[in-house]
Amino acid sequence: MIWSVLYAEFIIPVCASRRAEESFQVRYDSVNKISEYTYSSIHSYLEYHSKLVLSLFASVLILKILKMNRGIEPLDPSKINITSRTLHQPPLDELMNVLGEGLTANFAEATVEMADCPDFNRWPYCFYREGLCGNPIILDVGGPAYLLPTVQRDKFYDVKSLLRQLNYNHDSLVIGAGAGPWPHTGSNCELIMKLNVSNHRVSPGYKLNMGVGNGTHYAFVNKSTGKCLFERIVANEDETTFALLANLYISEGKPGKVIKVRAKKRTGKLDFISCMQKALEKQYGDKLVGLGGMFEMKNGKVKQHIMPDFSDTPLTTEAQLNNWLRFYEMETPLIAVGTFVSAETDLDLRVQHFHSSFEESRLGGHYHIDTTPDTIEYEGYFNVAATLYRVDQPPNKLQFGKD
């Protein structure tokens, strides 16, 4: 009886579980060896391998926990607080001048101009939409206060249901940075979201009758090696969830003119996004301005972090947080997506948040700054959002953890 349970509860699920590959690789290899034997042979084999028996039982328990987590439902958007804020949209010439001032103070070469988007539907972007234009909005969801000092596991969201709650009834490009959907991945991770959510071309079985083109990436900390473990979501996978926090730019994904920014050879201390964000803050003060989009980095290396699985002990200081995070120097090219705004305001906004990845190198994480200032090159495309939605704002403002 026990062998039947092990076979049904462990061997079959592990063979079928794509996302458990890393965690159960050792056990999977053992099970492949065992499965060559008959049940009686298994009994004899395991008599000499008591540790393997314990390992199998532990795996059954872990898999049951993963099944339980998979059943966790995203929060109902109608039952959480959502605040809208109309954003200030400066004249584009003025805005480009402001961004240019911030860039030229930190880079030897910098240009800002109006230009057409590249075709983001193509490799290496894989946004499944062509551009950044059409009814642009920003979502600032949750926040680090739901991660620190201890994780609040009920903070689990779905992009589709949020769009429906906001009556955003367009075919939508959704790009940005957040925390991955741990109930589905089995572990905390960095989210690099790139989604095309369709209201008009729907395949049977998709949630809320909304189809998906998925270019999303996850970046995990490999528990065995400490290195980046990269995962690409299958293009047609109906996975639109995330946990704890996200900063998302949403539009109809139409082609059109946007703000193109290029910068080379960093001479200042601020990173590519910070120098533009601080310029906005200085110029506009309480007039909230928000931009979203993407930028590509090449010819250098970049400091990024990846969150490991949730901490067992409270993280109450910035030093404890940094000891928990895993920092890396990653090779370029990397493509980043996210948002930046001119100020935190009373909405306790995250003023900048970008995650980057590149599928061929299988690298990804939370962007901090380049580590090769003499050679680094940036090229970004950004659009000005009309409205910002603050979703499920934490009741307590966190004093660290937003960098």
Side-chain angles (χ1 to χ4, degrees), residues 326-345:
R326 297 294 181 265
F327 290 90
Y328 304 86
E329 187 179 52
M330 295 188 178
E331 296 278 357
T332 60
L334 292 164
I335 295 172
V337 288
T339 67
F340 64 104
V341 297
S342 57
E344 286 189 5
T345 75

Side-chain angles (χ1 to χ4, degrees), residues 107 261-263 272 295-297 367 370 376-380:
F107 288 87
V261 178
R262 299 185 69 183
F272 178 63
F295 63 91
E296 185 171 3
M297 298 165 273
Y367 167 76
D370 59 82
I376 195 68
E377 297 183 26
Y378 294 90
E379 181 172 304

Side-chain angles (χ1 to χ4, degrees), residues 87-88 138 249 280 288-292 340-342 383-386 388:
L87 296 174
H88 177 56
I138 288 174
Y249 172 80
L280 292 180
L288 185 60
V289 178
L291 291 88
F340 64 104
V341 297
S342 57
N383 200 13
V384 184
L388 182 143

Side-chain angles (χ1 to χ4, degrees), residues 74-338:
L75 293 172
D76 182 347
S78 68
K79 297 179 180 179
I80 59 179
N81 185 53
I82 300 178
T83 302
S84 66
R85 184 70 52 88
T86 300
L87 296 174
H88 177 56
Q89 296 180 291
L92 288 177
D93 287 346
E94 175 187 298
L95 180 59
M96 290 190 294
N97 285 335
V98 172
L99 296 176
E101 289 175 3
L103 287 161
T104 54
N106 283 271
F107 288 87
E109 299 179 37
T111 60
V112 183
E113 61 181 328
M114 294 298 297
D116 291 314
C117 293
D119 186 353
F120 291 132
N121 189 44
R122 302 177 63 181
W123 187 91
Y125 310 107
C126 299
F127 289 5
Y128 294 94
R129 301 292 292 177
E130 294 179 354
L132 298 174
C133 299
N135 290 292
I137 64 173
I138 288 174
L139 268 59
D140 190 320
V141 185
Y146 292 151
L147 173 67
L148 307 169
T150 56
V151 62
Q152 298 186 35
R153 295 177 185 266
D154 61 314
K155 299 302 182 180
F156 185 47
Y157 310 92
D158 178 52
V159 166
K160 283 185 179 181
S161 59
L162 287 171
L163 292 175
R164 178 151 297 183
Q165 180 67 24
L166 298 174
N167 293 315
Y168 196 90
N169 299 317
H170 312 284
D171 286 355
S172 308
L173 169 70
V174 184
I175 56 174
W182 66 266
H184 295 176
T185 62
S187 176
N188 185 35
C189 62
E190 304 289 344
L191 168 71
I192 305 97
M193 181 169 278
K194 298 185 287 184
L195 285 175
N196 169 26
V197 179
S198 174
N199 283 291
H200 301 119
R201 295 179 297 278
V202 179
S203 299
Y206 281 92
K207 300 190 302 287
L208 300 178
N209 293 321
M210 300 160 77
V212 172
N214 215 325
T216 294
H217 297 155
Y218 300 138
F220 302 83
V221 175
N222 187 310
K223 296 177 182 178
S224 300
T225 66
K227 295 181 180 180
C228 173
L229 180 65
F230 177 93
E231 182 176 346
R232 159 72 191 271
I233 299 300
V234 178
N236 63 350
E237 184 169 347
D238 193 15
E239 176 54 271
T240 57
T241 61
F242 61 95
L244 306 175
L245 57 95
N247 296 88
L248 305 175
Y249 172 80
I250 299 170
S251 72
E252 294 181 59
K254 294 180 178 179
K257 298 287 186 183
V258 296
I259 299 174
K260 178 182 178 179
V261 178
R262 299 185 69 183
K264 295 182 181 180
K265 192 176 181 181
R266 182 171 57 82
T267 55
K269 294 183 178 181
L270 298 179
D271 67 78
F272 178 63
I273 296 296
S274 289
C275 67
M276 294 189 286
Q277 187 277 322
K278 290 187 179 300
L280 292 180
E281 185 175 32
K282 180 180 178 182
Q283 177 71 24
Y284 296 111
D286 293 336
K287 295 179 180 179
L288 185 60
V289 178
L291 291 88
M294 61 75 62
F295 63 91
E296 185 171 3
M297 298 165 273
K298 60 183 181 180
N299 292 339
K301 297 180 181 180
V302 176
K303 177 183 178 181
Q304 303 212 124
H305 81 237
I306 302 175
M307 296 184 294
D309 212 354
F310 301 124
S311 175
D312 293 328
T313 58
L315 304 173
T316 58
T317 67
E318 188 168 359
Q320 290 175 343
L321 172 63
N322 288 334
N323 286 334
W324 171 70
L325 293 171
R326 297 294 181 265
F327 290 90
Y328 304 86
E329 187 179 52
M330 295 188 178
E331 296 278 357
T332 60
L334 292 164
I335 295 172
V337 288

